Amino acid sequence: MTVPSLAGPSSSREQRFPDFLCIGAQKAGTTWLDANLRRNPEIWMPWIKEIQYFNDVHIPAHRNWTRAHRQRHAENAARRLVKRSEGERLDLRTMHAIASLAAEPISDDWYGRIFSHAGPHRICGEITPEYSLLPPEGVAHVKRLCPQLKVIFLMRDPIERCWSHIRMLASRQSGIDIERLAEQDDVIVRCDYARILDRWTAAFGPDRMFAADFEQIIREPEALLTGICDFLGVKPHAATLRRAAAVVFPGQEMPMPPRIRDILEARLADIYRSNRQRTVQPAGAASLEPFDDNMKGPAA
């Protein structure tokens, strides 16, 4: 499959690119963050979570599913718009914009038109965990479009993150071998936080990076959300803070089989070591060292 054109069709419509991105990690609280940032009136986010643009361009294997992802989520967003419009005029401009997420060829122009809907008085951004997997040329592409970007990265203990990821994948395909899932590189590499932080920090600098631990969402969600708003330069919204502790998308609890833990500990040993040795921390950083505590502990 050919790489999508970056130039795209010409358009007279104003373009704008994100002020911030959350780049993951998957299964580390990105849905919680998405729900809470959307409630802040100073922030605009697209009609769907996970635009999946830069990974579509720079990670060829992702093109097997990114278009279907946008199609499915755009259809859901369109249905929500119709439902909210019952008894009133349908906002055709918004409907067209939602449809364009799935119907138009992707390009830098296409991406810029999405965020032109933010208006001049709100910051804008999106959350796509797969951006944490971008190669250096992908991060450079982001930098070219968004030179003043702020980057949020949510982390979770690697073993717990992988087990949650495995349960999600297993729920989508009945009878799949979860030991095979535990061996997949795509499951493991998302926990290489030190490498991910290094790659993005090299492009944007530590002052434009904010890292947090999933446990902060559980223990102190209001404080974490306040810290993220401060990082983004917006006021914490009182109504948002009141709902910060609400569980957004609970996963199915399931004890981890000992064999899966053994596989993950073996596969993740070098990553734990690399994370522990990282010394440069971004703004609001959660230390990577406590993740070592789970190398022999329980996970659910």
Side-chain angles (χ1 to χ4, degrees):
M1 186 178 294
T2 58
V3 174
S5 167
L6 302 186
S10 61
S11 171
S12 59
R13 184 184 299 174
E14 179 186 355
Q15 292 189 0
R16 181 176 174 182
F17 294 102
D19 300 299
F20 71 91
L21 292 177
C22 175
I23 62 170
Q26 189 178 46
K27 311 307 294 181
T30 59
T31 301
W32 170 87
L33 182 62
D34 180 85
N36 282 285
L37 292 183
R38 287 179 186 278
R39 297 183 186 121
N40 191 309
E42 296 183 55
I43 299 173
W44 186 90
M45 299 178 73
W47 306 274
I48 69 172
K49 178 176 179 275
E50 303 183 17
I51 298 297
Q52 307 284 357
Y53 174 51
F54 296 104
N55 55 313
D56 196 317
V57 174
H58 295 281
I59 306 178
H62 286 196
R63 294 176 212 142
N64 294 329
W65 57 267
T66 47
R67 182 175 181 180
H69 166 92
R70 287 189 292 270
Q71 176 78 31
R72 182 172 66 255
H73 288 275
E75 288 175 358
N76 290 338
R79 292 188 185 101
R80 290 193 298 269
L81 179 63
V82 170
K83 185 175 182 179
R84 288 196 304 268
S85 301
E86 288 181 358
E88 301 178 1
R89 279 193 170 186
L90 183 63
D91 185 344
L92 294 179
R93 181 174 183 266
T94 298
M95 181 62 78
H96 179 269
I98 292 172
S100 73
L101 292 172
E104 294 185 6
I106 67 169
S107 66
D108 288 354
D109 290 344
W110 168 87
Y111 193 63
R113 289 195 299 273
I114 293 171
F115 295 94
S116 70
H117 292 268
H121 303 300
R122 290 191 286 178
I123 67 167
C124 60
E126 65 134 330
I127 297 175
T128 297
E130 279 69 24
Y131 293 166
S132 66
L133 305 177
L134 288 176
E137 58 270 24
V139 179
H141 183 185
V142 177
K143 174 78 169 180
R144 189 165 66 251
L145 296 185
C146 317
Q148 300 301 315
L149 185 75
K150 294 182 178 181
V151 180
I152 301 168
F153 188 48
L154 303 180
M155 303 176 292
R156 185 177 184 178
D157 175 85
I159 288 176
E160 292 183 357
R161 196 219 67 80
C162 287
W163 177 230
S164 181
H165 191 172
I166 290 166
R167 297 201 313 270
M168 179 189 72
L169 295 174
S171 71
R172 296 174 177 175
Q173 187 172 346
S174 178
I176 195 169
D177 182 356
I178 61 172
E179 289 191 15
R180 183 168 64 83
L181 293 177
E183 294 280 5
Q184 286 186 359
D185 288 341
D186 183 68
V187 171
I188 300 300
V189 72
R190 294 171 186 263
C191 298
D192 197 352
Y193 305 141
R195 186 184 299 272
I196 293 165
L197 287 169
D198 285 346
R199 185 176 298 146
W200 284 83
T201 301
F204 293 98
D207 292 342
R208 306 195 77 81
M209 301 286 298
F210 187 103
D213 181 356
F214 179 79
E215 289 298 315
Q216 293 175 267
I217 298 175
I218 298 172
R219 294 194 310 265
E220 46 184 8
E222 297 90 351
L224 175 58
L225 191 56
T226 298
I228 291 172
C229 287
D230 289 345
F231 172 70
L232 295 178
V234 299
K235 296 178 181 178
H237 193 232
T240 299
L241 293 178
R242 285 196 296 270
R243 301 171 66 181
V247 177
V248 175
F249 193 72
Q252 181 182 2
E253 293 295 330
M254 183 187 304
M256 183 186 302
R259 174 58 181 157
I260 299 300
R261 173 172 284 280
D262 289 344
I263 293 172
L264 292 178
E265 287 192 355
R267 294 294 312 278
L268 291 166
D270 288 343
I271 284 178
Y272 273 100
R273 188 177 304 110
S274 174
N275 288 343
R276 183 174 62 251
Q277 293 172 348
R278 190 177 195 275
T279 57
V280 178
Q281 299 294 343
S287 171
L288 301 181
E289 292 184 4
F291 293 150
D292 276 345
D293 296 342
N294 194 34
M295 280 297 283
K296 290 298 180 183

